[in-house]
Amino acid sequence: MALFGEIGEVSWSGNNVFFTLKDEFSVLSCVSFGQSEATFKIKEGDSVIVHGSPNYYVKGGRFSFNVTSFEPCGKGALFLQFLQLKN
């Protein structure tokens, strides 16, 4: 399954990266296991196409998306709008 959106709220726990994937209508929690901060080149505000599968974490009662690969698509429109508003 592939999803398109903008990266937000990036955090690390060991070799796992947690982030949100958002568009103008929604926000989805995502995780990618086995990543390295040194090689993980996608940053907050980047538009991406992610490939993976949905996951339901029973213990926490949370739905998320397990990402297995990324395709960068440049800077996200939401991020650019934020920068314009900030200036």
Side-chain angles (χ1 to χ4, degrees):
M1 173 183 283
L3 301 173
F4 174 79
E6 191 171 310
I7 299 286
E9 302 175 29
V10 178
S11 65
W12 289 88
S13 177
N15 286 339
N16 305 321
V17 61
F18 298 86
F19 59 94
T20 58
L21 188 66
K22 56 188 177 179
D23 63 16
E24 60 184 300
F25 302 111
S26 59
V27 177
L28 177 62
S29 296
C30 297
V31 61
S32 185
F33 298 105
Q35 296 292 332
S36 163
E37 285 189 63
T39 59
F40 188 79
K41 301 296 183 197
I42 296 169
K43 297 182 271 321
E44 202 165 311
D46 288 351
S47 284
V48 293
I49 297 173
V50 296
H51 300 271
S53 59
N55 181 48
Y56 180 71
Y57 183 59
V58 176
K59 185 177 178 182
R62 294 192 53 153
F63 178 80
S64 66
F65 192 77
N66 287 351
V67 175
T68 55
S69 66
F70 300 84
E71 292 177 39
C73 299
K75 285 293 178 196
L78 295 173
F79 183 72
L80 295 174
Q81 288 173 355
F82 168 74
L83 290 179
Q84 287 176 345
L85 184 61
K86 187 172 134 180
N87 290 332

